[in-house]
Amino acid sequence: MPVSPPPTANAAVTRDRTAPPHVPGAGVLLVVAFVLVSLNTRVSFGQIGPLAPVAGFSPAVISLLGLLPPLCMGAFAPLAAVARRRLGEERGLWWAGLVLVAGAVLRMLGMPGLITGTVVVSAATAVVNVLIPVLVRKRFPRERVGTMMGVYALSMGAGSALIAAVVVPVAQATGNWQPAIGLAVIPAALAAVGMTTQLRQQPPRPVGTSGTERSGRPHVARTAVAWSLTAFFGVQTLAFYTVLAWLSSILVQAGHGRGAAGTGQALLICGVAVGGFIAPVLAAKGPDQRPHILSTVLVCVAGLTGLMLAPSSTSMLWVIVLGLGLGAGQALPGVLYAHRGSDHAHVTALSTMAQTCGFLFAATGPVLAAALHTATGTWTAPLGALTAALLISAAAGMRAGHDPE
């Protein structure tokens, strides 16, 4: 696969898009490194759900471990801009990989280590989340941005699903949950090793400060496109984490057994992986992503409506539909950052703002859904509230879908 930066928009950003020296096999090494990082991005977060019944975690612990990732990914996302300015994208991702390894090891050290390590892993993942779209924009041709963001989303889902599938057998075979949690060390170490191949290809570091004025550009928080991106990403991420936390309970209340509810969770993850691959591939083909934003929201709304109103015999169909929409909603913002950003610093600033605010907002979703469920005794109210929020986000996200004439 050829590796070249996209054409420069103007002379002011020429240094920002300088290509690294050619190295034989560089394209293959870059793709391998990219896939290894992508596989690792959500591994640690997918272990707790299937492991909780076997490990005997209390509801309070499960709630805390579900709340920490989005909360910490929002709080630590601004670190990515600092890492990029001081280290560049490749070295920033490499250091984040090392921190992921440390956090994965720490999570094996009893309950205090599990909680502390989750914070560490979430902080490193926040940096990866922000830098991945910047790396894609810089290192791959513009026509392959959508494909690589799709590969990122598909690999992320595949890595999470694979580890989630083996944690229970490992815990049962060893009689302890620590070895099962320790499985996350393997993909974390592979990701760090993969990024090691990219350190020699580090281009000149960009000048300027992400989010500040550069070549007359206002601070990112003063622009409509940044707030539009934040609204779309925030609501999509809130819906994703809310459904991920409570889907099993929703299916059980609909009349399914716990085994079927577990199957539903697996189908959701599969749908997320497929939707996460398809959406960016389609969206990157043209300059206008507004139809893709609207389609993503409508697919999510169809899935939620089916879960609320359709017979329980069709629930699994609607779970798959919902997974496709939620996966698209998690992957599509990466294309939006790359297309709306005028240079690498601007892409970083847009990604940082959307993910900082979006993840912090998303952390409230599972808690608010639980409160609505407790107050009404049914999951219809939380699902209806999610549907309304998604429809609002479709309107709010339109500005993020195109460049003004």
Side-chain angles (χ1 to χ4, degrees), residues 277-297:
F277 176 76
I278 293 174
V281 171
L282 295 178
K285 290 182 177 179
D288 189 346
Q289 287 78 43
R290 286 175 293 184
H292 305 91
I293 291 173
L294 182 59
S295 298
T296 294
V297 169

Side-chain angles (χ1 to χ4, degrees), residues 76-292:
F76 290 106
L79 287 178
V82 178
R84 179 183 175 271
R85 288 198 302 271
R86 296 188 178 182
L87 303 170
E89 293 82 4
E90 291 84 356
R91 283 181 170 82
L93 286 168
W94 181 69
W95 277 105
L98 294 182
V99 175
L100 276 167
V101 173
V105 171
L106 188 60
R107 294 175 89 233
M108 299 170 62
L109 306 180
M111 189 55 64
L114 179 59
I115 294 171
T116 305
T118 298
V119 173
V120 174
V121 167
S122 300
T125 303
V127 174
V128 175
N129 287 339
V130 174
L131 292 186
I132 281 290
V134 188
L135 182 76
V136 170
R137 163 76 180 259
K138 182 178 73 171
R139 298 292 300 277
F140 293 95
R142 190 175 182 88
E143 63 270 16
R144 290 201 175 98
V145 167
T147 299
M148 297 316 298
M149 291 308 301
V151 168
Y152 170 62
L154 184 62
S155 301
M156 183 169 58
S160 178
L162 177 62
I163 296 296
V166 299
V167 289
V168 172
V170 170
Q172 290 174 334
T174 60
N176 204 327
W177 59 264
Q178 280 96 332
I181 286 289
L183 291 171
V185 175
I186 299 172
L190 290 174
V193 170
M195 283 309 302
T196 300
T197 66
Q198 300 305 303
L199 298 182
R200 64 183 296 178
Q201 301 186 39
Q202 175 71 17
R205 290 200 298 269
V207 295
T209 303
S210 173
T212 62
E213 292 190 9
R214 182 177 177 186
S215 302
R217 186 175 69 231
H219 191 286
V220 68
R222 298 176 183 173
T223 62
V225 67
W227 285 108
S228 180
L229 264 168
T230 299
F232 178 69
F233 177 81
V235 175
Q236 282 292 328
T237 306
L238 178 141
F240 176 77
Y241 278 98
T242 301
V243 172
L244 199 64
W246 296 115
L247 178 63
S248 294
S249 298
I250 292 169
L251 292 175
V252 167
Q253 191 170 81
H256 295 277
R258 294 196 175 275
T263 300
Q265 196 87 357
L267 290 174
L268 178 78
I269 293 173
C270 291
V272 167
V274 174
F277 176 76
I278 293 174
V281 171
L282 295 178
K285 290 182 177 179
D288 189 346
Q289 287 78 43
R290 286 175 293 184
H292 305 91

